[in-house]
């Protein structure tokens, strides 16, 4: 069996990290071909697929002109033509659309009468970013809809689609290695020894709730620090955060993505805080649990089905004061956490304990 995987960026997003783990562990069991729509470093540097195609086109002004002329002549973009050529060359049994963010690829699959799977890693805020007719056609024509969490499956089912399967996100815990001394790393970042460090990992965008960081910190004790591990974009909201941190002398440290030493920086935390307004089933909470960091989060999606007694607390509001209150209860020990419960829960969502479900899924598709 041969599957053609199509993914948006090829970078270190949660959905694409999970896909990278999947391809690594099904190697030799299923023939895999992947196309990344951007030149992301994850698959560009180290792809576990049998064949890899990467879109290295620079999407600048001149390309937009070329694309417009090309579309006028051929009624499709150069990239869609490329995907069609790859399909004709590799002759896969199925297309696998990683995320809902490629509805134009679903349109091509429908036109070519190719069976395809949609792996939904998104909740309703992302629905607003896809044109209605494309959204409908992508779901209506899918042979199977894979949902990354119970709440994602519920939302898809509520729209009337029952051809769904629940397969949770997972991580590869064998890749989590700590190389550097934790206290020394904290010291180089200027964090006092008596500080309680909360860490959030993920791209800094509105859905992830980074705008709430100042309001959160102003309700925390003086020795509480919040560290953000992830990429940021050039936006006024980022300036707002920086200015409030500067003007109010807030204990906030921005680390960037730190892809080479990611887990060392993650490990400087005493606790993990998920500030997201919406997050289907974030891989970072599994990483936090494996590193035995208590979790505090808004009830933003998949976190509520992941966190169990002894792991932290999920707050049923989106008020920063409520989240800060829960964080303080963890700091003072009022909310208990058990390191063994945290790590054992993470191991349930390790790729080695989940991969059998995927192999079975693909075997069923081949029947």
């Amino acid at each position: 069996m041969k599957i053609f995987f199509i993914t948006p960026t090829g970078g270190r997003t949660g959905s694409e990290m999970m896909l990278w783990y999947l391809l690594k562990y099904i190697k030799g069991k299923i023939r895999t071909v992947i196309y990344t729509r951007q030149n992301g470093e994850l698959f560009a540097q180290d792809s576990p697929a049998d064949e890899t195609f990467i879109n290295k086109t620079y999407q600048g002004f001149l390309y937009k002109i070329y694309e417009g002329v090309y579309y006028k002549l051929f009624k499709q973009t150069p990239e869609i033509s490329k995907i069609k050529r790859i399909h004709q060359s590799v002759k896969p049994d199925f297309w696998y659309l990683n995320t809902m963010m490629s509805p134009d690829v679903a349109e091509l699959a429908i036109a070519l009468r190719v069976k395809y799977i949609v792996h939904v890693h998104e909740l309703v805020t992302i629905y607003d970013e896809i044109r209605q007719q494309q959204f409908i056609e992508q779901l209506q024509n899918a042979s199977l809809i894979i949902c990354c969490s119970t709440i994602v499956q519920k939302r898809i089912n509520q729209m009337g689609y029952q051809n769904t399967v629940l397969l949770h996100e997972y991580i590869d815990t064998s890749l989590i290695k700590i190389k550097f001394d934790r206290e020394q790393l904290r010291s180089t970042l200027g964090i006092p020894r008596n500080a309680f460090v909360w860490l959030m990992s993920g791209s800094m965008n509105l859905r992830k709730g980074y705008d709430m960081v100042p309001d959160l910190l102003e309700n925390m004790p003086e020795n509480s620090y919040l560290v953000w591990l992830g990429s940021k974009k050039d936006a006024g909201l980022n300036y707002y955060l920086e200015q409030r941190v500067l003007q109010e002398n807030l204990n906030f440290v921005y680390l960037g993505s730190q892809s080479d030493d990611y887990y060392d920086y993650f490990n400087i935390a005493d606790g993990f805080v998920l500030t997201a307004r919406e997050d289907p089933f974030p891989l970072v909470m599994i990483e936090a649990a494996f590193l035995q960091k208590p979790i505090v989060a808004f009830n933003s999606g998949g976190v509520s089905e992941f966190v169990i007694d002894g792991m932290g607390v999920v707050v049923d509001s989106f008020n920063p004061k409520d989240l800060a209150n829960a964080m303080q209860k963890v700091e003072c020990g009022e909310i208990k956490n058990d390191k063994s419960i945290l790590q054992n829960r993470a191991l349930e969502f390790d790729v080695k304990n989940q991969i059998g479900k995927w192999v079975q899924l693909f075997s069923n598709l081949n029947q």
Side-chain angles (χ1 to χ4, degrees):
M1 185 181 191
K2 187 182 291 185
I3 300 179
F4 182 22
F5 294 84
I6 300 165
T7 196
T9 74
R12 295 179 184 275
T13 67
S15 65
E16 289 171 306
M17 288 298 302
M18 203 222 76
L19 179 58
W20 190 90
Y21 302 140
L22 173 63
L23 295 179
K24 177 183 171 185
Y25 277 86
I26 62 173
K27 198 171 185 67
K29 299 180 179 70
I30 293 162
R31 190 81 183 159
T32 58
V33 179
I34 188 167
Y35 172 73
T36 71
R37 304 193 72 178
Q38 294 179 32
N39 190 18
E41 63 170 339
L42 181 63
F43 282 92
Q45 293 177 359
D46 183 21
S47 174
D50 295 306
E51 293 182 76
T52 301
F53 299 88
I54 294 171
N55 185 5
K56 297 182 179 180
T57 305
Y58 175 65
Q59 302 287 322
F61 176 71
L62 291 176
Y63 178 80
K64 291 296 183 186
I65 295 174
Y66 165 71
E67 185 179 59
V69 173
Y70 191 98
Y71 187 88
K72 194 168 184 178
L73 291 172
F74 301 105
K75 306 306 179 189
Q76 59 187 11
T77 65
E79 186 189 25
I80 290 298
S81 293
K82 182 177 182 178
I83 294 171
K84 187 189 292 186
R85 288 195 301 271
I86 296 170
H87 170 75
Q88 291 166 345
S89 171
V90 302
K91 295 179 174 59
D93 298 290
F94 272 90
W95 287 13
Y96 178 110
L97 309 187
N98 188 38
T99 83
M100 302 184 78
M101 298 308 293
S102 294
D104 55 334
V105 177
E107 286 181 337
L108 177 60
I110 295 163
L112 295 176
R113 298 184 179 180
V114 176
K115 293 180 180 179
Y116 69 91
I117 300 162
V118 178
H119 191 165
V120 182
H121 302 265
E122 296 89 355
L123 280 168
V124 294
T125 57
I126 302 300
Y127 299 175
D128 195 45
E129 298 180 18
I130 305 170
R131 284 178 44 231
Q132 179 171 308
Q133 193 56 37
Q134 287 187 315
F135 182 81
I136 294 168
E137 288 178 354
Q138 181 174 204
L139 293 175
Q140 279 187 346
N141 293 280
S143 296
L144 184 67
I145 302 169
I146 300 174
C147 303
C148 74
S149 67
T150 301
I151 185 60
V152 168
Q153 186 177 40
K154 180 179 179 181
R155 296 294 179 243
I156 298 295
N157 291 162
Q158 285 172 327
M159 288 187 284
Y161 300 102
Q162 301 304 318
N163 58 328
T164 62
V165 61
L166 172 62
L167 289 172
H168 286 104
E169 305 276 17
Y170 49 76
I171 63 171
D172 187 348
T173 60
S174 70
L175 300 178
I176 300 180
K177 309 290 185 186
I178 304 300
K179 306 184 295 290
F180 302 132
D181 180 77
R182 178 176 182 268
E183 295 304 323
Q184 187 175 347
L185 199 52
R186 283 167 63 125
S187 178
T188 61
L189 295 171
I191 297 173
R193 293 186 67 86
N194 70 334
F196 194 103
V197 177
W198 290 93
L199 183 137
M200 170 60 187
S201 176
S203 56
M204 296 179 78
N205 57 50
L206 200 61
R207 185 171 62 85
K208 297 288 187 181
Y210 82 112
D211 58 300
M212 289 188 273
V213 166
D215 294 332
L216 188 61
L217 285 170
E218 72 177 5
N219 288 288
M220 295 294 293
E222 288 185 8
N223 71 326
S224 296
Y225 277 68
L226 199 155
V227 173
W228 198 294
L229 186 57
S231 60
K232 63 180 176 181
K233 63 179 181 179
D234 181 12
L237 194 53
N238 184 61
Y239 177 75
Y240 163 79
L241 170 61
E242 290 175 349
Q243 285 301 108
R244 283 201 57 187
V245 167
L246 180 65
Q247 298 295 328
E248 299 170 38
N249 196 29
L250 300 173
N251 295 332
F252 177 75
V253 179
Y254 169 67
L255 291 176
S257 50
Q258 301 293 343
S259 57
D260 292 337
D261 305 312
Y262 174 78
Y263 291 114
D264 286 290
Y265 282 96
F266 205 123
N267 195 47
I268 68 171
D270 299 296
F272 176 76
V273 59
L274 190 68
T275 55
R277 292 177 167 88
E278 186 181 86
D279 216 328
F281 203 80
L283 297 188
V284 290
M285 70 183 178
I286 310 173
E287 294 169 336
F290 184 77
L291 289 168
Q292 302 177 324
K293 312 300 180 185
I295 298 167
V296 176
F298 291 125
N299 190 2
S300 55
V303 67
S304 62
E305 65 179 291
F306 178 73
V307 173
I308 59 176
D309 288 345
M311 292 179 63
V313 62
V314 176
V315 176
D316 256 340
S317 87
F318 290 97
N319 187 332
K321 288 184 179 180
D322 295 338
L323 195 67
N325 183 50
M327 292 162 71
Q328 290 180 64
K329 287 180 179 179
V330 169
E331 288 187 20
C332 70
E334 187 176 336
I335 293 176
K336 303 294 183 183
N337 62 86
D338 185 307
K339 290 186 175 182
S340 64
I341 292 176
L342 281 158
Q343 192 164 85
N344 288 335
R345 183 64 169 159
L347 287 170
E348 292 180 39
F349 297 91
D350 180 87
V351 60
K352 291 182 287 296
N353 293 323
Q354 296 287 330
I355 198 65
K357 300 174 185 177
W358 289 84
V359 173
Q360 184 61 52
L361 174 75
F362 292 135
S363 296
N364 292 342
L365 288 173
N366 204 27
Q367 293 173 3

